[in-house]
Each structure stands twice: as structure tokens, then as C-alpha cells.
Amino acid sequence: MSVNDDKSPLCPYRKVPDHMILSGGKNNRYWVLDVTERPGHKTLTISCHKSLHPTETCLLKDGWEMTPVCSGDVVHLEGFSDGGSWLVDREQGFLVLLPDSLISGTSISSSIRCMRRAVLGDIFDGGSKQMLNGTMVHEVFQRAAMAKDFSLETLSKLADQAMHSPHPSNSRAPSRHQDSGTVVTVTELADIEENVWCPRFGLKGKIDVTAHVRIQRPQNGSHRALEERTVPLELKTGRESNSIEHRSQVILYTLMSMERYNPEAGLLLYLKTGSLHPVVASHMDRRELLKLRNTLVHHIHNCVEKESERSRLSRLPDILTNRQTCQYCPQRRNCALYESEDVVRDFLQEETGHLTPPHLSYFSHWLLLCCLEAATMEAKNGRKRVWLQTVKESEKNGSCVGNLQLSVPVTIQSEGVFLHRFHRSSVAPQHGLANNGLGSGDRIVVSDQEGRLVGLATGYLCEVSRTSISCTLDRDLSKFSGVLFRLDGDEGVVGLSTHLTNLSRLMENCQDSDRLRELVVDLRPPEFIFNLSSVLPREAKDTVANILKGLNKPQKQAMKKVLLSKDYTLIVGMPGTGKTTTICTLVRILHACGFSVLLTSYTHSAVDNILLKLKRFRVGFLRLGQGQKVHPDILPYTEESARKKGVHALSELEQLYNKELVVGTTCMGIKHPIFTRRRFDFCIVDEASQISQPICLGPLFYAKRFVLVGDHQQLPPIVQNQEARSLGMDESLFKRLELHSEAVVQLNVQYRMNRQIMSLSNSLMYEGRLECGSERTASALLSLPFLHSVQSELSCYSQTHPQHDLAWIQAALSPSNPVCFLDCSMAGCKPSDIGVIAPYRQQLKSISALLQSSAFIGVEVNTVDRYQGRDKSLIVLSFVRSTVEEGNLGELLKDWRRLNVAITRAKHKLLMVGSATTLRRYAPVEKLLNHLQQENMISFKNTPWFYHSAFLNSQFSHKTNLQLKHIELTL
DNA sequence: TCTCTGCTCAGAGGA
């Protein structure tokens, strides 16, 4: 991208976005306002103030002028500035482009050979058998080393051997280790797999081994100076190459641990030969590696570019012309796929030769969508606050707790899970910990407060009390017991690598992928067989017939369709139609027929919902996934707990993986090793209409047939990037395949809502197709056992206070009572039967805050999105919005599907609150209001913002059961 | 404008 393109008269780089953090000093962050290029050098106009005043300049030369820095970028500068003018050249200074995007050491070292591969490697996952082997050898070595059963001796010996020999190694690269008399001895292994985030150089990595070494240098002839140091040690299990890549990795680790240990040099150990190479970096080495980092980060950040308001994929760095190098590249396929529109080199042609233009464009379309979405997620990612904001600043927005001291001992909870307890040091006891924004279960990252040890460990919060915090971490921090810690909430940087890996796999030249491509991309109509008897084993017939007994007609149809399918079936589960029951029954039938089933959904809770039901019917299953996320009642079925009983041999593991016909996991859980071997007869995906296409594809690779269950009239997949959404990223696979109506079965008989509530959804979305399953459902009313006494109390009240005839509504309307809640407890409604729904999280926060009293414990306050798939007897739905101006409308309420979900959660009574005039501006809500009006369900037309729909008894009984204490009315 | 679930992760090796 040429810099000049960006310098339009309406230059946007004159304004720094709000989320940007700039600073001067050692860990500086400069905003680039302007770039001017002359032959041989480049001058940046920069500022470290958000006001962009005053400005400084930075002169780049001796190769640094090739840095792909643009106006609007953030840079970090190392070196010196002379009165506001920086110089970065051959001898001095570094420029770190986009320093808060931490790039891993391996990415950079792999970019030495092929920048394109490094960029692709950042986008897609890759891997090979050799790598798995390497991982295992690493693990064995590191464990043995830490256990010290062979480590110290062996390592010291290796070190000695290597260092004492006159030519330290058979290195091909020039060794900068000049003083041949120096002896390095490894005295202790300080750590393994140490995690380092180094925002100063924009680097991150995991250091295989952190070693204490003794260095003896010759000094004045016979006299020897002793020096102790901590250095990074990189293990290599493969062939000893002492290659530039390997050495560069060590140099990068040395650089990124500078603030921790100031190591000066690092070590490279080849386990095969046992030779140890010291790697000392020169300024040149660091300079060139940082330049590579800058180029890499530029490509990663600019993977999409705008051309006249439309985004498209940027060009990647060129393909190498070296067939030899490309032959073994794990990114071959992606490399060829990315270039679909251009001429691909002949030796890459075989990667895409089997694909048609529609296949290629499906791939690049979704790649673009994912890149757009990833960019938005990256921009919102608050991880950089961990190193850019002080504890004080971060504590203010509730995402951080500082001044923490570690209480020893640290206990081991399970393998690789360490239970830590921190207490707030007396240094800053302003307020307790409990009122912080962090809560139990939150993901956190632990760093030191000084900024030397950023990202020491990650884990989950367990308990937050007034003075102390306990959490499980991935590393034992007891050796840092003197350090003052900070603990930051970590939203996590989940890229879209699973999406893209699935997409890439869809394009693979193999049977499973060919078939899926045909169905998903080419939209080949699904096929069915005609005779059930050919699929139903004779011995299972009775069992199946028995299971079918409890089902209604459409549910039975669904079962039949699935059994007859050769490719796939789509089950539309309208609200309250018993989706979970249907899936559970389906699994039981398939199980009875001897079919294996892979049961998945996007969320852990959705998977567990079905498994909980299944458990009651004593259908065996294996649940994969992190124990922390699994429902407690399902825990006995996890791999984790099976392993606790003892799995020692490979055959036992294999037995564990193959034993159950039914396996349950999330769509993301398909990275599990079980899927390297096992295939299933059926894959069932629940909540499929909420899952994006690339993710939904994941589990489908492992089954012959699949069943998607969902309802595209309810919530779609969440897409944050507006452009990606407009280009169709929120279209689920469920929706895409729905055009084949022969594959669709509709569950339209519902057992949740009474007649009136159902009518709302019917008029809004389903055109009358939704039916009540029984008269009981249709006529069910809220049961309020003490209604009568409340009624008489109220009428008493209005008699003694005739002026307060409508006391409750007046209380609700009165400006002096801006926040109220419908309290039905007096009338006998259990708090757990009441749900409060609002579209906005902020709104819920304030509602919850007002429901602190013990009477309201059990009233669930949640977003529309969180309520999907669930119901309550009574729902209070707050529409929140009320604006007089013709301002922005906001996206959420424009979505028909969200409104549909919101109004179909209540079984017996639905109360809606909002401003009619405002809400009429949203087309979906307007349609709803028209229906309410027509059906006479609007109670208080004269008060423009109170609606109720429910059983239409007398108005009075309605009012009575609402002993109004607090209702949320935002005006 | 404001809905939020997934995920440890960076690295594991070969020319």
C-alpha cells in the first residue's frame, strides 16, 4: 500500500481514535501523522499526545526507510531523540511498528525464509506429524529436567562439553562468541515454558527453558571473573542445523526477556546430538529481525484494504519461486487458495486443481468476511491495557485489581492447574476487592505491577472476597512471592483461526471435503431413501416404536426424515416446540439403532442441556471439553474424569475414545485428538441457526450425515463488523441450506406460551403456523394464590384513598419513582418464575442493581440473546429506548429475529415497557404494536409508554397482581 | 452503537 494513497485532503489521521493509548518515555507510543519519502530515507511526523501537539520527527535511513509505516499507525521508538527529532539508522535506534500487536518469535523466524508463509501461518493453523513428535519430546525433556532426575547433570555436562571444546560448535553461521576461553555452566533450571509478552519490542513467546548459568570469562590472563546470569535456552529435537531460523529464535527470546533478566545471550540446545550453542546477538541481528517483525505485522494488520468503500483482500507477499522450499510448506494449500485470481505457480496448481470457480470464490468470500471481523475484534481487544495502563487507571474501569501479594503455598489442583491466593497489600487498601468488576469464573491474566513481568500467567478467577482473591493459573508463581502483582480481566484474543482452518479444510482434495463442498458450496440437493425398513434394524424396531410414543406429529416426522436422509436434515424448532426433547429423542433412537452420533452446539451449556436429558434415559456418552465449562452433573462423563480412574496405555485411551456411540462437544472442540481417527454416522448440531458457517462446518467433517437444528427466525450468529454482516457473515449454514425445502421439517407445535402470547409471534414471524400443543398450554394463566387478598387490600386502599385509585400505575408513572419493579411475590408468584429482559447490557446492570433486596433473589435479569432457548412464567420486557430526537436508531431493535425471541420467552404473562413513539420507528416493533392495538392488548394508550399483553381478564385483576414496587421505566 | 460465545497458546520439525 503506498503511503501517498492515504493523504487525501480529508486526512483521517489528524484525529486519534478514542481507544488509542499514546505515551512518551521509555515505553513510548507515537502516533504517525505524516510520512514523507525521499530516496534513501523516510521522515515521520509523530506525536505522543492525543491532541497531536507538539509533534516530533523521526528520520529513518540505512534500510529502515523500507519499513511499511503509514499515517495513522502507532509506533514505538527505541534510542534517543535530540530535542524532538529521532534518528533510526544502521547504528542506533529501533522502530517498532504497531508495538501492541505482539508477534511470536516463531512467526518472525519463519518469515526469514518466506514472509508469505509467516503471514499465512498467522491466519491459518498448520501442523504435521513431525511437529507432534517434537511436541512430545519437548514435553518429556522439560518434565524430566524440572524433576531434576537427569537434568542438571546432563545439561551441565552438555554445556561443559560444548563450551570447553576449542570451536564451540560446528556452526555454519558466524559465531559472535569471540572469547574462546569463556566457560558457561548451567547451574539451575529456573523455569520451563515461561510466557513472555514484550510490548516494548512487540514480541511474545514461550521460552522452552529459562536457565541460570555461571559464566567464567578470562580476565588479565589467569584471573577469572565469575558472573551469574539467567538466559533463555531453546530446545530443538530435530536435526542439528544451527540454522539462521533457530538462532534467530534464540535472539528474539533474548531480546524479549531483556526486561526480566537482561540475559545478553541465549543458548540453543540440540537434543539429538547434545550440542549446546551460545547465541550472542549483535545490533545488526536485532535490527534485521525487528525489521522483519515490522513487515510481518504490517501484512497481518492490513489483510484487507478498502477500494472505493468496498473491502477486499490485500495482496500477500509474493510466492517464492523455489519449488524445494514450498514442497514441505504446511501452508501450501492456503498459499495457492489465496491467490485464486492470479496465476498460481505450477507446483501449487495441484492444491487447487480440483476446485471450481464457485469453490474458490466461496473461500475468498469467507476469508474476507473473517478478516473483516477479526480486525474489528482486534480493535476492541483490551489486552494492551495490561501494559499500557497503570493499575490505577485500569482499576477505574473495573477490569483490574492491583497491589496484590501472593500468599504461599500454591497448591496443585490438577495437572497444569495451580491454585493461587492473593491478598491486597496494605499499601493501598482504599477499598475492598469484592466491589470490583471482576467476578468468579472470569478469565484473567497475571502480571507484575512494574511492567517487567507482563503476562506471567493466565487462568480463571475462583473466589473474590473483600481482602483476597483466589484463582487457578496455568503456571506456579511461587518463585515470585516477593512481587507486587496486578490481575487483569482477559477477554481473550480469540482470532478466527478455527473458522479459517475449517474453510481451508473444506477446500482440501479428499473425500470428506469433496462431499461437504458439494452440499455446502454447490448446494447439491440432499438425497433421501424411501424405505425405513432398510435403516431400522429389526431388533431395534420395538424400542424405537416405544420411544416414538411420546412425540407429537411433527416431531415424529422429524425422526423419520433424519433416518431416511442420506445427506442432511434441517429441523426448524420454533419457540417452545421442544427442540431439546426432540434432539434427545433423536439421539435415543439413533443409539437404539446402533448408530454413532456426534452431538454438538456452539455453547457448552447447549450441549449439556441435551446430555442432561439423555442421562435420564441412561444413554451412555462421552463428553469432551474443559471440565471448568462442563455442567457439574455431566462431569462424570468427561474424558477428564475417566482418566482419573486410570488410563495408562494407548489401548486404554483408544478404548475410552471408542467406547460410547454418543460423543458430545462444542463445535470448537473438534481439535480434540479423538477426531484424528473416529468418524460418526450422524452429527447433530443444536442452535445451528446461531452458528456461523465456517464454525458449523467443523464437526460435519466427521460424520456421514448431519442434522442441523435451529430456527432462523430467532437470533443469527453474532457478527461485530458491520461490513461483514452486510456481506452475509450472519447467514448460518442452517439458513443457507434451507432453500432445499425437502430437507426441512418444522416443529410448529409448542408447549410454552399461552394463546395470546403466541399470537404475537405468529403475527410477527410465523404467519399463524405456530400452534399450541394442548388446550392446557393455550389457556394457562399465571397462578397467583394470594391474588384475592392483594386485590382486597388494594380496593381497601383505593376506598380510603379515592384520589389514589390507580395508585400502582401512578407510582410507576410518577417521575419521582423513575425505577420500579413488578413485584408479584405478594400475590404468590415465585421470583424464579419471573424473568426480566432488556436488549442492552447496561440497562440490565441498572435493573439488577435495583433488585438487590432478598425478595428478588431468583428473579433472572438477562439480555434477549441470553434468553434464547429458555422461558419463564412471567416475563417483563423492557424496550429501554425512548428518544425525542430523530437520532440514531441503533441496530439491535431493528432485528426481527431478536424481537421474536424476546416475545416468545413468556409462558403465561408478558409485560412490555417502552415508548411507543420511539419504538414505532423500528419496523419490527411497529408491526408488533399494530397487532397489540388490533387485539386490544395495549392497556394504557393514554400513557404512551406502558403496554401489556397477557390474558385479558379484567384490567383490575391485571393491575392487582402487579403490586408495583419497582418497574424499570427509562424515559 | 453498545447483542457476546467460542477458545490457553505459541511452537512442534523439515529443507
Side-chain angles (χ1 to χ4, degrees):
Chain A
M1 201 195 298
S2 135
V3 171
N4 293 331
D5 291 347
D6 300 327
K7 283 203 290 179
S8 64
L10 291 163
C11 180
Y13 309 113
R14 300 283 163 187
K15 170 119 180 50
V16 185
D18 289 338
H19 60 86
M20 221 47 97
I21 301 172
L22 303 179
S23 59
K26 191 177 133 210
N27 200 20
N28 60 50
R29 293 290 183 273
Y30 280 91
W31 177 264
V32 178
L33 285 102
D34 195 27
V35 182
T36 51
E37 279 181 271
R38 299 266 149 66
H41 58 87
K42 205 178 231 181
T43 308
L44 312 179
T45 308
I46 53 176
S47 177
C48 62
H49 301 280
K50 279 198 134 175
S51 61
L52 297 182
H53 191 79
T55 60
E56 298 172 42
T57 60
C58 176
L59 180 64
L60 303 174
K61 49 193 261 196
D62 300 335
W64 281 102
E65 74 277 4
M66 308 292 280
T67 308
V69 56
C70 311
S71 324
D73 284 338
V74 171
V75 297
H76 167 73
L77 295 171
E78 287 279 321
F80 302 97
S81 87
D82 180 12
S85 72
W86 294 77
L87 174 64
V88 178
D89 64 5
R90 172 191 290 274
E91 307 298 335
Q92 57 168 321
F94 293 128
L95 176 138
V96 182
L97 180 61
L98 307 170
D100 299 314
S101 289
L102 307 185
I103 305 293
S104 75
T106 40
S107 292
I108 298 170
S109 62
S110 85
S111 76
I112 295 172
R113 194 170 288 262
C114 175
M115 181 59 74
R116 186 177 172 93
R117 178 189 144 168
V119 177
L120 288 167
D122 192 88
I123 304 174
F124 300 93
D125 281 348
S128 65
K129 269 192 186 141
Q130 293 95 322
M131 290 186 188
L132 182 63
N133 185 46
T135 310
M136 280 167 6
V137 177
H138 256 83
E139 200 161 302
V140 170
F141 179 85
Q142 287 170 330
R143 276 189 206 199
M146 281 319 270
K148 297 194 181 176
D149 48 4
F150 75 86
S151 64
L152 204 55
E153 289 160 54
T154 313
L155 266 184
S156 310
K157 218 181 280 167
L158 294 172
D160 279 347
Q161 280 168 5
M163 301 313 297
H164 282 298
S165 57
H167 297 292
S169 64
N170 48 353
S171 59
R172 276 174 266 135
S175 168
R176 262 156 244 296
H177 196 254
Q178 293 126 343
D179 22 13
S180 55
T182 301
V183 178
V184 179
T185 319
V186 175
T187 55
E188 201 188 337
L189 301 186
D191 210 343
I192 55 166
E193 292 279 306
E194 185 180 353
N195 189 51
V196 187
W197 290 350
C198 174
R200 196 167 145 203
F201 298 109
L203 301 173
K204 68 180 168 189
K206 285 205 156 88
I207 297 171
D208 283 340
V209 177
T210 309
H212 290 317
V213 294
R214 187 179 299 133
I215 306 168
Q216 293 173 273
R217 293 185 216 271
Q219 222 176 39
N220 308 335
S222 61
H223 182 74
R224 283 181 171 234
L226 261 184
E227 204 184 322
E228 305 264 343
R229 283 213 180 261
T230 305
V231 300
L233 187 154
E234 170 69 11
L235 295 177
K236 291 292 168 197
T237 59
R239 243 189 50 192
E240 174 168 358
S241 66
N242 199 19
S243 61
I244 306 269
E245 272 104 323
H246 289 176
R247 298 165 54 79
S248 298
Q249 246 178 298
V250 179
I251 293 170
L252 289 164
Y253 292 139
T254 311
L255 190 59
M256 65 180 94
S257 41
M258 201 149 100
E259 254 131 324
R260 295 190 179 191
Y261 310 116
N262 195 18
E264 285 192 353
L267 299 170
L268 182 56
L269 174 63
Y270 288 97
L271 289 176
K272 236 175 211 170
T273 55
S275 51
L276 184 72
H277 304 260
V279 181
V280 184
S282 65
H283 181 77
M284 179 192 81
D285 294 327
R286 296 175 169 181
R287 183 185 73 206
E288 293 310 311
L289 285 171
L290 285 177
K291 282 194 206 162
L292 277 176
R293 193 213 81 99
N294 288 343
T295 308
L296 185 54
V297 82
H298 168 80
H299 284 294
I300 292 170
H301 256 257
N302 297 288
C303 61
V304 286
E305 56 191 17
K306 278 238 153 115
E307 195 193 52
S308 57
E309 288 305 299
R310 283 187 60 187
S311 294
R312 60 161 191 211
L313 291 169
S314 307
R315 274 194 70 95
L316 285 188
D318 285 337
I319 301 177
L320 292 188
T321 46
N322 184 346
R323 179 189 290 257
Q324 205 60 37
T325 311
C326 299
Q327 197 166 7
Y328 297 99
C329 178
Q331 296 295 340
R332 269 171 73 90
R333 184 166 72 241
N334 300 324
C335 182
L337 282 167
Y338 200 103
E339 217 57 28
S340 57
E341 282 159 34
D342 287 325
V343 186
V344 171
R345 300 199 195 286
D346 57 343
F347 57 87
L348 280 175
Q349 203 94 62
E350 67 201 59
E351 297 290 336
T352 52
H354 59 290
L355 301 172
T356 63
H359 297 151
L360 293 169
S361 62
Y362 182 88
F363 177 85
S364 28
H365 177 64
W366 277 95
L367 180 57
L368 173 66
L369 297 181
C370 290
C371 287
L372 283 169
E373 179 70 0
T376 302
M377 285 166 70
E378 171 73 27
K380 283 190 184 170
N381 169 29
R383 182 171 271 181
K384 56 177 179 270
R385 282 201 293 260
V386 175
W387 56 82
L388 289 181
Q389 276 187 340
T390 63
V391 164
K392 228 177 166 181
E393 290 167 327
S394 291
E395 277 186 342
K396 231 184 262 169
N397 60 38
S399 61
C400 172
V401 187
N403 294 309
L404 293 174
Q405 273 171 339
L406 181 61
S407 320
V408 279
V410 170
T411 52
I412 299 177
Q413 202 170 59
S414 61
E415 202 185 307
V417 182
F418 304 91
L419 184 63
H420 288 69
R421 181 173 290 280
F422 296 93
H423 60 268
R424 186 98 172 181
S425 85
S426 49
V427 184
Q430 307 99 325
H431 43 70
L433 295 173
N435 53 3
N436 194 276
L438 294 172
S440 78
D442 286 356
R443 264 187 74 91
I444 45 152
V445 52
V446 183
S447 314
D448 79 317
Q449 202 150 300
E450 270 175 76
R452 269 182 64 232
L453 308 162
V454 182
L456 268 185
T458 56
Y460 296 90
L461 266 189
C462 301
E463 237 185 273
V464 184
S465 79
R466 221 179 53 80
T467 52
S468 78
I469 282 188
S470 68
C471 54
T472 52
L473 299 177
D474 59 344
R475 306 181 46 78
D476 180 350
L477 299 183
S478 45
K479 66 167 176 162
F480 299 103
S481 53
V483 171
L484 208 53
F485 291 100
R486 64 182 284 176
L487 221 139
D488 288 86
D490 187 27
E491 302 112 78
V493 268
V494 214
L496 294 165
S497 82
T498 312
H499 298 236
L500 295 169
T501 304
N502 288 347
L503 274 178
S504 167
R505 180 145 186 224
L506 185 67
M507 298 298 144
E508 200 179 329
N509 193 3
C510 69
Q511 232 183 343
D512 292 339
S513 301
D514 290 348
R515 207 183 62 90
L516 260 185
R517 235 180 8 251
E518 216 179 273
L519 296 171
V520 170
V521 184
D522 303 333
L523 294 170
R524 193 256 288 159
E527 291 173 13
F528 294 86
I529 55 171
F530 298 102
N531 200 343
L532 258 187
S533 60
S534 58
V535 277
L536 268 185
R538 187 166 303 162
E539 64 275 14
K541 266 191 179 138
D542 287 346
T543 325
V544 172
N546 237 337
I547 298 174
L548 281 172
K549 268 184 197 158
L551 298 184
N552 62 34
K553 211 170 141 205
Q555 284 171 332
K556 279 182 191 157
Q557 272 172 348
M559 302 297 123
K560 198 172 156 199
K561 183 137 257 171
V562 173
L563 285 169
L564 293 176
S565 72
K566 285 172 80 178
D567 302 304
Y568 60 84
T569 312
L570 306 175
I571 300 179
V572 179
M574 297 180 189
T577 53
K579 259 186 305 174
T580 313
T581 311
T582 309
I583 294 173
C584 176
T585 314
L586 179 57
V587 177
R588 285 168 64 206
I589 290 174
L590 295 174
H591 184 263
C593 296
F595 289 120
S596 56
V597 181
L598 174 60
L599 181 64
T600 69
S601 181
Y602 191 58
T603 62
H604 288 281
S605 64
V607 174
D608 287 342
N609 264 342
I610 301 163
L611 294 181
L612 283 168
K613 260 209 169 128
L614 220 45
K615 191 181 139 188
R616 276 183 242 151
F617 293 100
R618 285 178 291 165
V619 173
F621 53 84
L622 174 69
R623 169 70 156 97
L624 305 175
Q626 282 248 325
Q628 279 209 319
K629 302 280 185 167
V630 175
H631 191 284
D633 294 351
I634 298 299
L635 275 177
Y637 299 86
T638 56
E639 180 186 1
E640 233 172 88
S641 66
R643 279 179 173 239
K644 270 185 194 147
K645 289 175 208 146
V647 172
H648 306 291
L650 189 64
S651 61
E652 286 173 330
L653 188 65
E654 200 149 9
Q655 205 206 341
L656 168 68
Y657 286 166
N658 288 324
K659 201 177 108 201
E660 300 295 351
L661 280 177
V662 181
V663 174
T665 185
T666 61
C667 290
M668 301 286 212
I670 52 158
K671 281 180 192 160
H672 192 279
I674 199 174
F675 297 107
T676 55
R677 304 222 186 150
R678 214 173 150 182
R679 293 295 177 271
F680 298 82
D681 295 312
F682 287 89
C683 174
I684 302 176
V685 187
D686 189 17
E687 294 186 348
S689 48
Q690 285 191 88
I691 309 176
S692 73
Q693 282 178 45
I695 291 298
C696 195
L697 282 172
L700 307 188
F701 287 108
Y702 305 104
K704 293 183 201 131
R705 285 158 278 184
F706 59 89
V707 182
L708 304 184
V709 187
D711 178 4
H712 82 257
Q713 311 272 47
Q714 297 186 56
L715 289 170
I718 295 165
V719 177
Q720 302 186 52
N721 181 280
Q722 166 76 55
E723 191 182 358
R725 210 180 314 129
S726 73
L727 290 171
M729 194 176 183
D730 66 354
E731 185 196 62
S732 62
L733 188 60
F734 186 93
K735 176 124 186 255
R736 180 174 170 94
L737 297 179
E738 229 182 7
L739 90 152
H740 291 302
S741 54
E742 66 272 31
V744 180
V745 209
Q746 289 188 337
L747 305 180
N748 64 330
V749 178
Q750 64 88 23
Y751 299 90
R752 175 185 295 159
M753 298 163 276
N754 66 28
R755 199 173 275 125
Q756 289 82 358
I757 296 175
M758 182 182 76
S759 79
L760 303 187
S761 188
N762 256 336
S763 82
L764 187 74
M765 284 298 212
Y766 300 108
E767 292 161 338
R769 273 172 296 148
L770 199 51
E771 295 168 17
C772 287
S774 66
E775 183 51 34
R776 218 179 119 198
T777 308
S779 55
L781 298 182
L782 192 64
S783 126
L784 299 171
F786 311 124
L787 177 62
H788 190 73
S789 68
V790 176
Q791 249 170 345
S792 51
E793 203 179 304
L794 265 189
S795 64
C796 264
Y797 184 82
S798 16
Q799 271 161 22
T800 49
H801 302 80
Q803 75 278 24
H804 289 158
D805 185 32
L806 292 171
W808 68 274
I809 187 79
Q810 280 175 4
L813 298 181
S814 156
S816 64
N817 243 348
V819 183
C820 306
F821 174 78
L822 297 172
D823 181 358
C824 299
S825 61
M826 301 283 286
C829 186
K830 276 186 291 178
S832 60
D833 287 336
I834 306 174
V836 181
I837 304 185
Y840 306 103
R841 198 143 270 298
Q842 276 308 316
Q843 178 73 5
L844 294 172
K845 265 193 190 168
S846 36
I847 295 178
S848 307
L850 290 155
L851 294 180
Q852 289 305 316
S853 139
S854 62
F856 306 126
I857 289 175
V859 175
E860 191 181 334
V861 182
N862 235 325
T863 55
V864 184
D865 299 60
R866 288 275 183 102
Y867 256 107
Q868 170 145 346
R870 325 224 343 263
D871 56 39
K872 290 277 180 187
S873 178
L874 186 154
I875 289 283
V876 180
L877 172 57
S878 164
F879 283 104
V880 181
R881 294 193 80 90
S882 171
T883 37
V884 190
E885 312 103 68
E886 314 235 320
N888 263 330
L889 279 179
E891 294 288 319
L892 285 193
L893 287 174
K894 280 185 199 160
D895 197 320
W896 293 81
R897 297 162 294 196
R898 181 165 284 104
L899 181 62
N900 185 37
V901 171
I903 60 173
T904 52
R905 300 305 103 192
K907 294 197 274 197
H908 307 132
K909 188 167 180 71
L910 170 65
L911 289 158
M912 291 173 271
V913 185
S915 150
T917 32
T918 304
L919 292 170
R920 281 205 182 273
R921 295 167 60 207
Y922 299 91
V925 191
E926 185 183 19
K927 185 166 177 189
L928 177 71
L929 288 174
N930 288 342
H931 174 81
L932 292 172
Q933 211 155 21
Q934 208 179 330
E935 297 291 315
N936 223 1
M937 284 171 164
I938 297 178
S939 299
F940 309 102
K941 285 181 194 159
N942 51 337
T943 60
W945 35 269
F946 197 102
Y947 297 87
H948 100 276
S949 116
F951 34 84
L952 304 166
N953 303 346
S954 81
Q955 283 218 335
F956 198 76
S957 77
H958 161 66
K959 292 170 215 155
T960 325
N961 69 39
L962 314 169
Q963 248 275 322
L964 280 211
K965 280 272 165 67
H966 325 284
I967 240 211
E968 177 68 32
L969 295 170
T970 310
L971 291 171

